[in-house]
Amino acid sequence: MEAMNHQRLTVLLGPSAVGKGTVVARLMELHPQIFLSISATTRDPRPGEVDGQHYHFLSRERFLQLVNEGAFLEWAEVHGMNYYGTLKAPIEEALAKGRPALLEIDLAGARQVRKQVPDAQFIFLAPPSWEELESRLRGRGSETEEQMARRLETARVEIDAANEFDHIVVNDEVDHTAAKLACLMGLA
Ligand code: 5GP
């Protein structure tokens, strides 16, 4: 990713159930010019998720083929279960057109992007409290106990790494949080 305005690239990390999806949806409503990266994943679609819109849902074989081709800016095995990755080409294209680009990825992915694109901006979306996060995660009810335990453990590790990020934004209220993110992306 040479000769691009990397300051227009923002990486957003937030533990499962922190409300990242809602905040990002609000941000996109307010600023539709943002290019929101659609990740590739090997996990199964949840009810209502659309291929090419929420994720590019790929087989493990196809995913690993793309890894070998060097198509990913970053990729990681998340929650020890499935692969997730950011395809390079659409991001390069968006940045070349001058659009701000936003990546929602996990900690391992964010660290890879930090190495490859050090002047990108890294934002951590934090819950108002750990208790709140846990109750939101349990309230979602879309996962088994085992999956939820994994997600809670991942969230703990992510929260411990929050100070590696350029900014920590507490998701207290969706409009307020979306406005803060827009401001950090130079869009407010
Ligand atoms: P979910 O399965 O709930 O949609 O996402 C699980 C986790 O995968 C989230 O924490 C999210 O940040 C992470 N994730 C989603 N897309 C990517 C990606 O492209 N790369 C990496 N490294 N992580 C991702």
Side-chain angles (χ1 to χ4, degrees), residues 100-144:
L102 181 63
L103 267 57
E104 286 180 71
I105 55 179
D106 83 328
L107 183 60
R111 286 172 171 160
Q112 288 177 56
V113 177
R114 172 79 94 185
K115 273 195 196 138
Q116 293 205 47
V117 192
D119 52 354
Q121 169 168 242
F122 294 81
I123 303 175
F124 187 89
L125 191 62
S129 70
W130 173 258
E131 290 72 28
E132 170 110 13
L133 184 78
E134 197 170 346
S135 78
R136 281 190 206 176
L137 193 53
R138 292 191 186 283
R140 193 151 84 176
S142 58
E143 277 101 32
T144 63

Side-chain angles (χ1 to χ4, degrees), residues 19-62:
K20 194 171 50 180
T22 313
V23 166
V24 169
R26 187 76 189 109
L27 180 67
M28 296 305 295
E29 258 169 46
L30 295 170
H31 301 284
Q33 73 271 36
I34 296 172
F35 175 80
L36 179 61
S37 167
I38 300 168
S39 298
T41 182
T42 59
R43 85 149 159 74
D44 293 331
R46 297 198 185 109
E49 283 185 335
V50 178
D51 185 37
Q53 192 177 321
H54 298 94
Y55 281 104
H56 300 291
F57 294 101
L58 304 180
S59 66
R60 289 178 92 84
E61 189 186 24
R62 176 68 183 139

Side-chain angles (χ1 to χ4, degrees), residues 56-121:
H56 300 291
F57 294 101
L58 304 180
S59 66
R60 289 178 92 84
E61 189 186 24
R62 176 68 183 139
F63 193 101
L64 292 172
Q65 191 184 348
L66 288 169
V67 170
N68 284 333
E69 288 169 13
F72 287 108
L73 171 61
E74 61 74 35
W75 67 277
E77 193 175 13
V78 180
H79 305 310
M81 289 168 81
N82 285 299
Y83 298 134
Y84 293 77
T86 306
L87 292 161
K88 235 184 258 179
I91 312 267
E92 285 178 336
E93 210 174 290
L95 291 174
K97 285 185 187 148
R99 292 178 71 184
L102 181 63
L103 267 57
E104 286 180 71
I105 55 179
D106 83 328
L107 183 60
R111 286 172 171 160
Q112 288 177 56
V113 177
R114 172 79 94 185
K115 273 195 196 138
Q116 293 205 47
V117 192
D119 52 354
Q121 169 168 242

Side-chain angles (χ1 to χ4, degrees), residues 6-22:
H6 296 142
Q7 278 138 14
R8 305 289 281 174
L9 179 62
T10 299
V11 176
L12 181 67
L13 180 95
S16 280
V18 76
K20 194 171 50 180
T22 313

